[in-house]
Amino acid sequence: MRIAKVIVDVPASQVNQTFDYIIPERFEAILKRGMRVVIPFGPRKISGFVVAISHHSAFNQLKEIIDILDLTPVLTEELLQLGKWVANETISLYITTYQAMLPQALKTAYKKEIVRLTDSRLADDLEQLFAGRDVIDYRELANDRDHYRNVQKAIQDGEVYINYVVKSRTTKKYKTMIKPAKEIHLLEEAFNDLNDRATKQKEVLSFFISHPAAIEHNQLKNQLNISTAVIKSLIDKSLLTKVKIETYRNPYADHRFEKTEKLSLTEEQATAIGPIKEAIAEEAHEVFLLHGVTGSGKTEIYLQAIEDVLHKKKEAIVLVPEISLTPQMVKRFKGRFGKNVAVMHSALSAGEKYDEWRRIHQKEVQVVVGARSAIFAPFENIGIIIIDEEHEASYKQEDHPRYHARDVAIKRAKNHNCPVVLGSATPALESYARAQKGVYKLASLTERTNKQAMPQVDVIDMRQELHAGNRTMFSRTLVEKINERLNRREQIVLLLNRRGYSTFALCRDCGHVQECPHCDIALTYHKDNHRLKCHYCAYEEAMPSNCPSCESNLIRFFGTGTQRVEEALTELIPHASVIRMDVDTTRRKGSHERLLNDFSNQKADILLGTQMIAKGLDFENVTLVGVLTADSMLNLPDFRSSEKTFQLLTQVSGRAGRHELIGEVVIQTYTPDHYSVQLASQYDYNTFYLKEMAMRRSFQYPPYVFIILITIAHENKIYTVQTAQAIAKLLMKHIRSDTVILGPTPSPIARIKDKYRYQLMLKYKNEPSLKSYIKKIIEHYGEDMRKNDLQLTVDVQPYQLM
Ligand code: ADP
Ligand code: ZN
Ligand code: ZN
């Protein structure tokens, strides 16, 4: 008897282990590790991942597996191991980690079908199963051992495939091709035998005699102006045959990618790429930090390194932050490697994502370019992993499992003996510190490939503007420079260093700020429907006309949402046309790209937006970049706020004058002397690094220590505090003497969705057993979490401290 060890789909800490199930005989030959199964769990039927198969179980009275969900493993051996590692490192559940590795469409809720790909005769059993149909429901396999085995074999032989039916069927997934069923001379014979009145049939035959390749059914019909019946009668005579070819929902179908050739590298580039190429050739694991200013040719280095990897018949994973995964970026990879590139992007539909994933799974592509989760691409022969803009916070997942893609990349690269390349103009402090220590190899690119200087940066003190009587959010310098550009018909990018929707209502008489009744946070004013909304829960209310506290009618909006900036801008410079990009204008699929295209085609003078416009964009005609509020991030309770400010300012400055035209940057700030603002305006990363490291050392923050943040949340405030204290006490018993526990203190946002939030911050240097101890604590509180609605969130190396 054989036993499957299964990680079951119950997201609770008490069941974070494998359960044993008997493999019924009908599945014995087909079940493999990495497949998903349906199993009984208590009174329920649930799904799970088979992580091991053995002959023994320490338990008796085992239940049987009910059904299998996959006929080919969806997780490779490596991914099974990796999932375990990620779960342990991030203190997450195995089940959530495995699920995070797969595309949404693979979730059991979706209907599956078996699609026949060929007209040639299948095994008898399969012919019976299909019974003349091209597509059958997966459920028709109905636990029949032979059916499963036959279908499994047919999948391997490429005769059928399993399609996961996703609701939005935007494009068809396979097309019908017609091709000769016999050799040409036999077609010629048939042609001569045909009755002269069968003119259409003769026409088709003569077409195939001169063009014996397969042609799409509809195209054939149109080209020869014939009916389906004509083709059918030739198929019935076994002269032609029908084949189905898989076509993928191709999100980039409308784009044409011109083939690009590799550039001859500059001296700096050649020096930087040398050791990377060596590591690829020698199959050595090594982490390279490629520190290069914007426009210094990092991407060309990635492309040429990947080329080496492809020559070795190996695969490449390229991670790009979600917001810079623009068509411009995709074009650079597809331009060089054509169809060999899959793109994994969150803006794709579930069906498109699944198709891209399947192309990787089937080894039809060797390169994947994608956002964070593409790090789990099911490649089995990885030759390089590249992370562009490696400092980006979006590489950290802010939900279970809270992994950092960089850590996963390094782990996978070790598994595959291959290099990792981390690229950035402003590396994360942690990464640069590792490079300084020699843990990573540092390669630097100091100049732009076009030898252009970085644009001149003007720092404007907004306090002085106020003194001079300018109450608008635009300094006189900025307005003047905008007008200059308008006269010269050049373009302008304006960045609002905020989330774009932080307009809140404040009473001018009593200072009352309208807050969410369920969360401790000000409500945000939405102009389109004149309502106040909470961005942490679903609460909203009508905008009051009088102050709820003092009845005054002097309620005003504060903060600067992009909408308000746009209004103020068009009031100040009525003849300028503006494209606004923020969460509101880019919600609809494709709108992000459309707005950028419009701007690129010079349909507007000014592109105004939030962080999402800061990265990856490259517009020839932009000669002025303005940052409206450089310091709004500096006031956040986050030890990375200076670093994030420096990174954003540097990045956005790089947007100006990337081509022939000389660029300029204006940074408006209330703290012009702050070192992040000063050093960013001088493009001085090294001084910033030293200064910031000194700060981190004196306040004991990463990279000098590691951090774990534990957040405790519950509706009852006293219970929340008590639980937090109890956890602190438990931890205290276990930690080393140089480990520090801060708290419990209320979280910066002290209440969300009616739950009070308290946090504990652990700072440590070396605590090999801390994670497993925290795991025990969570298990200890499992009952309270399930029955009493207690929330315990553990974030290892957190990026969000709110
Ligand atoms: P980064 O990724 O560092 O911002 P890119 O790779 O985008 O830099 O390069 C900036 C520009 O320089 C691009 O237009 C690119 O085509 C060009 N470029 C890169 N390498 C070379 C080279 N060796 N010779 C000429 N042009 C290059
Ligand atoms: Zn709320
Ligand atoms: Zn009031």
Side-chain angles (χ1 to χ4, degrees):
M1 191 171 59
R2 295 212 301 157
I3 308 292
K5 311 231 170 234
V6 180
I7 294 287
V8 298
D9 186 3
V10 178
S13 55
Q14 300 93 319
V15 295
N16 192 29
Q17 59 182 35
T18 59
F19 287 82
D20 290 359
Y21 288 91
I22 294 169
I23 304 174
E25 205 201 321
R26 63 182 185 280
F27 296 142
E28 264 195 0
I30 34 184
L31 191 68
K32 297 199 180 82
R33 289 155 53 99
M35 288 183 181
R36 295 166 308 154
V37 289
V38 179
I39 60 254
F41 195 77
R44 290 181 296 159
K45 255 169 62 170
I46 60 171
S47 66
F49 290 86
V50 176
V51 296
I53 292 173
S54 94
H55 289 278
H56 309 284
S57 174
F59 305 92
N60 32 33
Q61 296 198 323
L62 296 181
K63 291 181 185 158
E64 282 195 354
I65 287 172
I66 298 170
D67 199 0
I68 52 179
L69 289 170
D70 306 301
L71 293 176
T72 40
V74 288
L75 293 178
T76 62
E77 289 288 326
E78 186 216 348
L79 289 178
L80 283 173
Q81 294 300 325
L82 185 74
K84 226 164 130 181
W85 178 83
V86 170
N88 289 333
E89 286 296 307
T90 62
I91 317 186
S92 311
L93 303 175
Y94 298 123
I95 187 70
T96 34
T97 308
Y98 287 140
Q99 275 163 350
M101 295 177 155
L102 297 176
Q104 189 66 22
L106 280 176
K107 292 273 165 71
T108 51
Y110 292 92
K111 189 175 160 250
K112 279 184 290 185
E113 56 190 23
I114 308 171
V115 181
R116 180 181 188 137
L117 288 171
T118 169
D119 255 10
S120 355
R121 205 174 155 72
L122 305 171
D124 287 352
D125 284 1
L126 278 187
E127 284 297 347
Q128 268 173 28
L129 194 65
F130 275 98
R133 295 165 297 174
D134 283 338
V135 178
I136 59 172
D137 194 310
Y138 183 83
R139 284 171 297 195
E140 290 191 33
L141 294 188
N143 280 344
D144 180 306
R145 161 174 53 176
D146 294 325
H147 283 166
Y148 281 119
R149 196 179 296 156
N150 289 329
V151 172
Q152 190 177 43
K153 182 164 181 309
I155 293 173
Q156 278 160 15
D157 296 345
E159 294 172 337
V160 305
Y161 84 99
I162 307 288
N163 183 44
Y164 290 75
V165 185
V166 187
K167 275 183 202 96
S168 64
R169 266 202 199 186
T170 41
T171 48
K172 63 177 176 174
K173 299 168 300 300
Y174 43 90
K175 53 185 176 187
T176 307
M177 309 287 288
I178 304 295
K179 64 175 193 187
K182 296 203 162 121
E183 285 170 48
I184 299 302
H185 71 273
L186 295 176
L187 290 191
E188 280 168 352
E189 256 172 43
F191 181 90
N192 294 330
D193 292 348
L194 266 180
N195 190 317
D196 273 349
R197 270 175 305 175
T199 46
K200 287 291 178 188
Q201 289 188 36
K202 289 192 109 160
E203 205 179 320
V204 176
L205 279 185
S206 81
F207 172 84
F208 277 107
I209 290 164
S210 49
H211 311 85
I215 175 169
E216 196 182 349
H217 185 257
N218 283 337
Q219 198 187 339
L220 180 67
K221 272 171 64 181
N222 295 339
Q223 201 164 325
L224 302 182
N225 194 19
I226 50 167
S227 66
T228 307
V230 175
I231 300 173
K232 181 151 189 316
S233 56
L234 289 169
I235 291 175
D236 290 344
K237 288 177 185 144
S238 298
L239 294 170
L240 297 182
T241 183
K242 208 164 64 175
V243 279
K244 286 215 170 63
I245 292 191
E246 271 185 84
T247 64
Y248 293 99
R249 285 161 278 220
N250 181 354
Y252 296 96
D254 310 341
H255 298 278
R256 281 188 54 242
F257 297 101
E258 264 169 53
K259 179 106 184 75
T260 62
E261 295 299 333
K262 68 173 167 189
L263 304 169
S264 74
L265 297 179
T266 63
E267 229 166 87
E268 266 195 341
Q269 281 174 318
T271 312
I273 203 175
I276 300 174
K277 285 168 89 86
E278 247 169 62
I280 294 168
E282 289 166 10
E283 310 195 354
H285 169 65
E286 197 119 46
V287 181
F288 295 94
L289 179 61
L290 183 57
H291 178 209
V293 296
T294 329
S296 59
K298 296 187 289 295
T299 311
E300 185 62 31
I301 292 186
Y302 306 153
L303 292 169
Q304 299 201 12
I306 293 172
E307 203 175 307
D308 278 14
V309 167
L310 299 188
H311 278 310
K312 293 197 69 161
K313 303 259 181 290
K314 292 192 167 199
E315 296 136 351
I317 298 179
V318 184
L319 300 189
V320 179
E322 190 72 57
I323 34 184
S324 20
L325 197 43
T326 56
Q328 296 180 15
M329 190 55 143
V330 171
K331 195 164 115 189
R332 298 192 66 180
F333 287 87
K334 291 227 176 195
R336 196 68 58 93
F337 305 116
K339 287 207 180 78
N340 205 353
V341 181
V343 178
M344 303 271 254
H345 186 242
S346 73
L348 304 182
S349 71
E352 289 167 342
K353 275 185 211 158
Y354 168 63
D355 283 346
E356 294 295 281
W357 179 85
R358 189 153 49 92
R359 293 172 66 205
I360 300 167
H361 191 236
Q362 311 269 65
K363 311 280 166 353
E364 290 175 24
V365 293
Q366 288 170 282
V367 182
V368 58
V369 180
R372 180 182 60 231
S373 64
I375 196 57
F376 297 119
F379 282 140
E380 291 180 283
N381 197 12
I382 301 174
I384 194 167
I385 302 179
I386 292 162
I387 305 189
D388 190 32
E389 313 277 10
E390 67 91 33
H391 62 277
E392 268 292 309
S394 66
Y395 287 126
K396 174 77 195 287
Q397 171 145 309
E398 291 300 346
D399 197 357
H400 285 299
R402 294 185 157 78
Y403 67 91
H404 198 298
R406 191 200 292 129
D407 301 331
V408 180
I410 293 172
K411 178 75 180 167
R412 286 201 85 178
K414 274 184 195 153
N415 293 343
H416 289 268
N417 282 322
C418 76
V420 174
V421 178
L422 308 172
S424 175
T426 52
L429 232 59
E430 285 95 329
S431 300
Y432 204 74
R434 280 189 193 140
Q436 293 295 315
K437 279 170 81 178
V439 181
Y440 299 166
K441 294 231 158 111
L442 184 66
S444 299
L445 301 174
T446 56
E447 13 179 72
R448 290 177 152 189
T449 53
N450 59 7
K451 302 273 192 247
Q452 281 231 7
M454 295 301 280
Q456 163 80 34
V457 180
D458 256 328
V459 177
I460 307 293
D461 185 347
M462 289 305 275
R463 294 169 307 186
Q464 280 179 13
E465 290 294 307
L466 213 57
H467 289 159
N470 176 8
R471 300 191 159 273
T472 72
M473 49 187 107
F474 306 98
S475 61
R476 290 159 297 174
T477 313
L478 183 59
V479 173
E480 190 183 304
K481 289 189 190 290
I482 291 177
N483 277 320
E484 267 171 38
R485 296 319 188 280
L486 293 175
N487 289 337
R488 296 208 301 254
R489 317 215 107 266
E490 292 168 4
Q491 287 171 294
I492 301 136
V493 168
L494 290 182
L495 174 87
L496 188 64
N497 184 9
R498 288 238 178 168
R499 278 235 151 139
Y501 39 64
S502 48
T503 312
F504 57 96
L506 176 124
C507 171
R508 285 232 148 159
D509 275 331
C510 75
H512 171 83
V513 172
Q514 193 71 352
E515 289 196 343
C516 173
H518 308 286
C519 313
D520 283 352
I521 197 100
L523 290 171
T524 298
Y525 175 65
H526 281 245
K527 185 162 184 288
D528 22 327
N529 51 10
H530 202 56
R531 291 175 77 77
L532 295 171
K533 293 184 189 170
C534 173
H535 283 280
Y536 286 86
C537 69
Y539 179 82
E540 58 173 273
E541 62 181 41
M543 172 73 196
S545 46
N546 292 86
C547 171
S549 167
C550 75
E551 305 279 311
S552 156
N553 60 5
L554 279 179
I555 291 206
R556 292 288 176 269
F557 311 119
F558 269 80
T560 38
T562 36
Q563 260 180 354
R564 286 216 358 172
V565 178
E566 185 182 9
E567 279 168 23
L569 189 62
T570 40
E571 210 168 280
L572 200 65
I573 314 176
H575 55 288
S577 52
V578 180
I579 289 179
R580 191 180 105 220
M581 255 179 78
D582 57 24
V583 276
D584 288 327
T585 63
T586 55
R587 197 163 290 136
R588 285 233 314 279
K589 198 185 161 198
S591 51
H592 188 247
E593 188 185 339
R594 189 173 40 78
L595 292 176
L596 292 181
N597 264 336
D598 286 353
F599 188 64
S600 165
N601 295 330
Q602 306 190 19
K603 288 191 186 153
D605 306 307
I606 301 178
L607 178 65
L608 164 70
T610 50
Q611 269 89 330
M612 66 172 74
I613 64 170
K615 285 143 200 161
L617 308 179
D618 189 2
F619 300 110
E620 289 188 23
N621 198 38
V622 170
T623 58
L624 176 64
V625 169
V627 181
L628 296 178
T629 42
D631 23 28
S632 55
M633 265 193 318
L634 286 175
N635 305 317
L636 294 177
D638 179 347
F639 68 89
R640 286 195 183 84
S641 63
S642 299
E643 184 182 1
K644 285 179 182 165
T645 301
F646 179 85
Q647 286 163 346
L648 184 70
L649 294 180
T650 309
Q651 204 104 46
V652 75
S653 302
R655 296 299 111 220
R658 294 201 55 174
H659 300 268
E660 270 95 83
L661 302 169
I662 304 289
E664 259 189 302
V665 180
V666 172
I667 293 180
Q668 303 189 154
T669 170
Y670 289 94
T671 50
D673 301 325
H674 192 286
Y675 64 96
S676 344
V677 176
Q678 278 299 322
L679 295 170
S681 75
Q682 293 152 20
Y683 301 98
D684 189 349
Y685 178 84
N686 289 325
T687 309
F688 174 79
Y689 168 77
L690 293 173
K691 183 114 195 153
E692 184 65 14
M693 283 296 272
M695 302 290 265
R696 300 283 177 92
R697 187 209 296 266
S698 44
F699 294 102
Q700 284 296 291
Y701 276 113
Y704 288 99
V705 294
F706 297 109
I707 290 187
I708 293 180
L709 187 71
I710 304 180
T711 305
I712 300 103
H714 192 264
E715 282 185 7
N716 182 325
K717 186 170 178 178
I718 298 186
Y719 173 73
T720 313
V721 177
Q722 282 171 348
T723 310
Q725 282 166 344
I727 292 175
K729 229 169 156 180
L730 286 172
L731 286 167
M732 216 70 104
K733 279 195 232 159
H734 202 80
I735 51 173
R736 298 189 169 193
S737 59
D738 62 342
T739 298
V740 178
I741 302 180
L742 299 178
T745 48
S747 300
I749 300 173
R751 194 171 49 126
I752 293 182
K753 292 185 194 167
D754 289 319
K755 286 190 165 169
Y756 291 91
R757 306 169 77 238
Y758 276 77
Q759 66 181 29
L760 293 167
M761 187 186 279
L762 283 94
K763 291 178 173 180
Y764 62 95
K765 290 206 160 103
N766 184 17
E767 285 278 11
S769 62
L770 184 59
K771 283 178 190 163
S772 56
Y773 189 65
I774 292 176
K775 231 162 130 179
K776 285 212 187 93
I777 294 180
I778 295 175
E779 275 161 34
H780 174 76
Y781 281 96
E783 196 80 352
D784 292 282
M785 290 163 79
R786 226 159 17 106
K787 295 209 176 121
N788 199 5
D789 228 10
L790 171 71
Q791 247 178 36
L792 276 187
T793 320
V794 180
D795 197 347
V796 181
Q797 314 327 329
Y799 272 69
Q800 274 183 15
L801 304 172
M802 314 284 265

